[in-house]
Amino acid sequence: MTEQSTAAPKPQPRARTVGQQKAAPAAMTGAQSLIRALEEVGADTVFGIPGGAILPAYDPMMDSARVKHVLVRHEQGAGHAATGYAQATGKVGVCMATSGPGATNLVTPLADAHMDSVPLVAITGQVASGAIGTDAFQEADICGISMPVTKHNFLVTNPDDIPRTIAEAFHIASTGRPGPVVVDIAKDALQGRTFFNWPPTCELPGYRPVTKPHAKQIREAAKLIAEARRPVLYVGGGVMKSKATAELKVLAELTKAPVTTTLMALGSFPDSHPQHLGMPGMHGSVAAVTSLQKADLIVALGARFDDRVTGKLDSFAPLAKIVHADIDPAEIGKNRAADVPIVGDAREVIADLVVAVQAELGEAAAGSAAADGYADWWKQLDRWRETYPLGYDLPDDGSLSPQQVIERIGELAPDDTVYAAGVGQHQMWAAHYIGYERPATWLNSGGLGTMGYAVPAALGAKVGRPQSTVWAIDGDGCFQMTNQELATAALNGVPIKVAIINNGALGMVRQWQTLFYNQRYSNTKLHTGSGAEEVQQPNKGTRCPDFVKLAEAMGCVGIRCEDPDELDSVIEKANAINDRPVVVDFIVHEDAMVWPMVAAGTSNDEVMAARGVRPDFGDSDE
């Protein structure tokens, strides 16, 4: 949806207002009004780059004591930094760009935030209203371009509408199913004179997210839980977004049901908890994948039955009834029909389920499956996770194992560390081999799978949580897409730590070439030229670029680690440096693969614990 504001005064219908008491109007420019509105909605950080159309907003921002601006090196970095800030803090992330290419460079982080339900407000400059539609210099219809990948967007041409639009944008971004909102403001609206009124009257007809679940659906779900013999709690990112982790733990321990947490939900339930089976999906643990396949009841909480979790959809969980709870009604039944659909906020849904399940279990017969903690089901689950645990082999040539590097980073880091991962093999290894005990400690691009996410997201997370250690776990491919934001981190005193898992290749693509393309490594080696010959290197082991020199050139500490015997000391050295960013180039074995794996387009029944190893589940699907 796109809103076009006009110069004509609008009637004031009965509508919700933001704030408690209206202040006396103050005369100012639209740009000053924009900054005042950002202050009033509680924005404290904006990531962005100035340019012609947005420039009027940058002048009053210099005078704001409440809004800090972080000058990034690329607008994509601004968007991912705002996303990392939002994911780490739970607040709305804010980014800013000028018109045309500045705005279009935000499209990838907007799509990323949309897929992962991240509350984001992107403020873009637009050419003067009289020039809109004339193909003016640096004109782009960012509202039209971003419509499929935003929750809502606005085009503002009247300075009087700026406070109301900002208030509405933050409300839409942060309520219901969170998501990104674009506010595109014409340059003449920023330059024009207006009166600042706060709080504004918000006009959002039809926008009424349902948060309270229907009591009848809750009772039906509780009844199925009490009757089930092989239930699984399938937990998605919606539980994290609604801050429902405490309620989830109560429900899990009450029911004694196994818990699986998706890639976007890691940390919502402690990895160390005995009921946690791990992450389901294409690279999920064997126990988590198989528990869903063999379940007779799946309770999906804030999850969307993504193809990476279900595998071949028509073979997914064939014996299971489905309870599907989500705040977005469009998700329910989209991929898998629900026997009990529940629309509502995950926190309210789980809290109500706890009460209803307590009532059901109190009425249950003493010999029911629920009453004895699903003892037979747990015997099967324990056998699967004991027989097919996560693990890896150390390379025979004495080189670094990427899994070991990531595992040791997690073991040596402080308890409150936040991890931001890029996309690929290192992302899956970070999901498996770092223990996540707390919410909002694992940040990644789950739905869109955006390479280049990790460094700017870590920057945003560290700005939002300056007291926490923040590690970016990146691949050498991902790192080369957005590493310029190291200069942003260095110049702004944001001491993130970056681990480059450097195997000299686009690792996940190379893995697929190994498994499915007869080891024909077409254009996945990062240290080769356009032909088949290796680039001549001046020294053995040198890669192009030299990441240590690159890090040092941008004001960071650069360290290289190739020897397993030095691994712990290098990580401890990186942890001890807190006055500037640190980049550690870990040279790892190039042939390591991510296991377990369900090949794309196949059934989860075909999960492989390792190459050539397909689990034997015996009579577990009785």
Side-chain angles (χ1 to χ4, degrees), residues 255-279:
T255 62
K256 303 296 191 295
V259 178
T260 66
T261 52
T262 68
L263 186 66
M264 293 305 300
L266 297 180
S268 60
F269 191 75
D271 276 1
S272 61
H273 196 287
Q275 288 174 241
H276 191 232
L277 298 183
M279 181 179 73

Side-chain angles (χ1 to χ4, degrees), residues 53-376:
I54 196 64
L55 193 58
Y58 273 78
D59 185 68
M61 190 151 42
M62 278 191 75
D63 300 323
S64 176
R66 294 157 62 185
V67 176
K68 171 187 176 182
H69 184 269
V70 177
L71 177 62
V72 298
R73 269 48 191 170
H74 192 285
E75 289 89 357
Q76 182 177 350
H80 291 320
T83 293
Y85 172 96
Q87 290 176 314
T89 65
K91 302 177 184 177
V92 176
V94 185
C95 54
M96 190 175 287
T98 197
S99 62
T104 58
N105 280 341
L106 287 176
V107 171
T108 294
L110 286 170
D112 181 87
H114 185 63
M115 290 285 280
D116 288 344
S117 304
V118 179
L120 196 72
V121 171
I123 300 167
T124 55
Q126 184 54 273
V127 300
S129 55
I132 292 175
T134 69
D135 292 331
F137 176 67
Q138 290 194 333
E139 180 187 359
D141 177 13
I142 191 59
C143 287
I145 291 168
S146 67
M147 188 179 293
V149 294
T150 55
K151 188 175 177 182
H152 191 71
N153 55 47
F154 300 84
L155 172 60
V156 182
T157 59
N158 182 349
D160 295 343
D161 292 336
I162 290 175
R164 174 182 59 81
T165 304
I166 292 298
E168 290 178 354
F170 273 73
H171 178 68
I172 293 169
S174 60
T175 56
R177 179 179 183 171
V181 177
V182 166
V183 179
D184 194 33
I185 309 177
K187 187 172 184 178
D188 55 325
L190 291 170
Q191 293 172 323
R193 302 295 294 179
T194 185
F195 285 92
F196 181 77
N197 287 281
W198 197 271
T201 299
C202 290
E203 301 164 3
L204 298 171
Y207 181 69
R208 296 180 181 84
V210 174
T211 60
K212 186 67 177 175
H214 196 287
K216 180 178 181 296
Q217 303 302 93
I218 292 291
R219 290 195 298 270
E220 290 295 321
K223 184 177 180 182
L224 288 181
I225 291 171
E227 294 174 348
R229 296 174 59 84
R230 300 185 304 278
V232 177
L233 301 183
Y234 161 39
V235 178
V239 170
M240 196 83 75
K241 297 292 186 300
S242 66
K243 299 179 174 61
T245 56
E247 288 80 2
L248 172 64
K249 191 167 185 285
V250 171
L251 178 65
E253 292 179 347
L254 171 66
T255 62
K256 303 296 191 295
V259 178
T260 66
T261 52
T262 68
L263 186 66
M264 293 305 300
L266 297 180
S268 60
F269 191 75
D271 276 1
S272 61
H273 196 287
Q275 288 174 241
H276 191 232
L277 298 183
M279 181 179 73
M282 175 178 278
H283 291 293
S285 71
V286 170
V289 171
T290 308
S291 68
L292 292 172
Q293 284 299 99
K294 308 300 183 183
D296 65 358
L297 175 67
I298 294 175
V299 181
L301 302 167
R304 56 189 179 88
F305 292 90
D306 175 73
D307 64 286
R308 280 297 198 256
V309 168
T310 66
K312 187 178 179 182
L313 186 60
D314 60 9
S315 67
F316 174 71
L319 306 175
K321 292 184 178 180
I322 304 295
V323 173
H324 192 180
D326 202 287
I327 199 164
D328 185 355
E331 289 295 345
I332 298 177
K334 185 179 77 175
N335 294 325
R336 175 67 180 258
D339 296 278
V340 179
I342 305 175
V343 178
D345 177 78
R347 189 173 186 179
E348 297 205 35
V349 168
I350 297 172
D352 286 359
L353 268 178
V354 167
V355 175
V357 169
Q358 285 174 328
E360 284 289 337
L361 294 183
E363 298 171 1
S368 71
D372 67 5
Y374 308 111
D376 291 340

